[in-house]
Amino acid sequence: MCELDRWSLAKQTGAHFCLFAIPFTIVAYVLYWVPRSVGGVAASVIVLVVIYAAIWCGAYVSAKRKIQKINNQLHRE
């Protein structure tokens, strides 16, 4: 079993978010995708968190439904 498989879902999600958000924010800043101010960077990070959370929640609900469907099929047999 991989060490990462033993991490909690929250720890895995936090690590994934940081590994994604930090480089993305740096690249966005360097390439002028966000205003070069504290407020501009903060606003872009907030938008990034909201979009990430929405996608994460959608993926979580979808996976949970698929797992429930598989469990229901197993219990019928």
Side-chain angles (χ1 to χ4, degrees):
M1 176 180 261
C2 177
E3 181 68 28
L4 296 178
D5 292 337
R6 295 184 202 155
W7 285 11
S8 69
L9 182 58
K11 189 174 181 180
Q12 290 178 25
T13 301
H16 180 265
F17 179 77
C18 289
L19 289 171
F20 162 73
I22 292 170
F24 179 83
T25 302
I26 293 169
V27 169
Y29 184 82
V30 169
L31 296 178
Y32 293 93
W33 293 349
V34 299
R36 288 196 170 217
S37 66
V38 174
V41 173
S44 69
V45 169
I46 290 169
V47 169
L48 183 62
V49 168
V50 169
I51 292 170
Y52 187 92
I55 292 170
W56 186 92
C57 287
Y60 179 80
V61 168
S62 174
K64 195 165 183 154
R65 285 182 183 160
K66 287 178 185 177
I67 291 168
Q68 187 62 44
K69 183 178 177 183
I70 291 168
N71 284 336
N72 289 342
Q73 289 174 345
L74 290 174
H75 288 288
R76 281 189 215 138
E77 295 175 3

